[in-house]
Amino acid sequence: MSFIAIIPARLASSRLPGKALAEIGGKPMVVHVAELARASGAQQTLIATDSSRIAEAVHAYGFEAVMTSAEHTSGTDRLAEVVERSTWPDNTLIVNVQGDEPLLQPALLGEVAAHLAKHDECAIATAAYPISQVADLFNPNIVKVVLDAHGRALYFSRAPIPWARDAYQSFPENLSKIALPSYPVYHHIGLYAYRAGFLRRFTQLPRSPLEETEALEQLRALWHGERIAVLVTAQAPAAGVDTLADLTRVRAILTR
């Protein structure tokens, strides 16, 4: 089983501008991500970017960059452009590695790719882990996913799903009195594996009202009937970099 890792990277981050090139331990963050992607066993690692500065930075460390349009609204659209310009067969496995996740475990990339390879009926595979804190359940910045009996995604939401009618009666007044339900509630990990053929179709699919409401592009795939296999892991991956505080935390970890 082989796969290609593609890292979409841009400089125009709203909360932390230029974060792809933020220095961590003497190297740009995007290079740290490229190194973990290479260590995952990917047969090829590419950085898809609209920035010549990012391209020059990754070239300096021996990685290949592909220049893409500056008009893309999502990382998946950027990946789709790379795939569209390639000659890869439709069954080629592509793993989308976020450029702001320098603490991801390399093994998880291969596991998500292998999970997709085992599910021929699915166009996408992703990952999730059980939520252990009530505050995370009600945090709209944490995306939740509900699974069917076969481990495929039924829905993704920023809301607490499924809603435990009896357990959550005191919300929102008495959040401290709420306990997690007895069944698992899953935190979605933003790591995806796709088949190249799906990425060639993806940009032709109209955006869905669910996607626009939740600001979650994976809902476009579900809206149009595509299936998403979800790999459930036991532990949470380390958080990525969205803010300056996150960057400070990651710098401390990687320096150690």
Side-chain angles (χ1 to χ4, degrees):
M1 198 278 299
S2 62
F3 64 95
I4 296 168
I6 305 181
I7 304 164
R10 61 192 183 98
L11 286 178
S13 171
S14 58
R15 285 188 282 183
L16 187 59
K19 70 177 177 179
L21 294 180
E23 181 271 332
I24 302 175
K27 289 184 287 191
M29 179 164 60
V30 68
V31 172
H32 283 277
V33 177
E35 289 175 342
L36 72 85
R38 178 181 284 171
S40 73
Q43 69 181 85
Q44 187 176 7
T45 298
L46 303 172
I47 293 82
T49 185
D50 58 3
S51 166
S52 59
R53 290 176 57 197
I54 291 176
E56 290 167 5
V58 300
H59 286 155
Y61 286 87
F63 290 98
E64 182 179 354
V66 178
M67 297 303 298
T68 56
S69 169
E71 303 303 315
H72 292 311
T73 57
S74 73
T76 309
D77 291 314
R78 200 172 300 282
L79 263 67
E81 180 184 344
V82 175
V83 171
E84 188 61 39
R85 288 159 51 185
S86 77
T87 58
W88 299 325
D90 281 349
N91 63 353
T92 303
L93 300 181
I94 310 293
V95 175
N96 180 348
V97 188
Q98 300 299 323
D100 56 5
E101 298 278 357
L103 299 180
L104 270 180
Q105 291 298 312
L108 186 58
L109 278 63
E111 290 168 2
V112 171
H115 198 64
L116 180 57
K118 290 189 298 186
H119 289 80
D120 291 337
E121 80 283 9
C122 295
I124 307 171
T126 188
Y129 63 91
I131 288 176
S132 60
Q133 302 293 327
V134 171
D136 291 345
L137 180 63
F138 290 91
N139 183 346
N141 294 316
I142 290 176
V143 177
K144 278 68 70 172
V145 57
V146 173
L147 311 182
D148 69 11
H150 304 285
R152 298 178 303 227
L154 286 172
Y155 192 67
F156 297 84
S157 182
R158 299 182 182 280
I161 57 171
W163 181 266
R165 184 193 63 179
D166 296 332
Y168 301 164
Q169 283 185 0
S170 61
F171 177 83
E173 290 82 7
N174 294 304
L175 190 61
S176 62
K177 295 183 179 180
I178 293 177
L180 287 172
S182 58
Y183 51 82
V185 181
Y186 293 111
H187 181 159
H188 177 233
I189 301 170
L191 177 68
Y192 298 94
Y194 310 95
R195 290 190 172 84
F198 167 77
L199 285 172
R200 292 186 172 109
R201 300 196 310 272
F202 178 77
T203 55
Q204 308 305 313
L205 297 175
R207 288 171 60 88
S208 79
L210 296 177
E211 172 189 9
E212 293 176 347
T213 299
E214 296 255 20
L216 297 173
E217 64 178 317
Q218 62 268 41
L219 293 176
R220 187 188 319 180
L222 291 181
W223 176 266
H224 290 286
E226 302 287 355
R227 288 177 170 175
I228 302 175
V230 181
L231 172 71
V232 175
T233 68
Q235 294 183 334
V241 176
D242 289 320
T243 66
L244 183 57
D246 293 335
L247 180 60
T248 301
R249 169 182 52 82
V250 170
R251 281 173 170 160
I253 293 171
L254 289 181
T255 298
R256 291 198 302 269

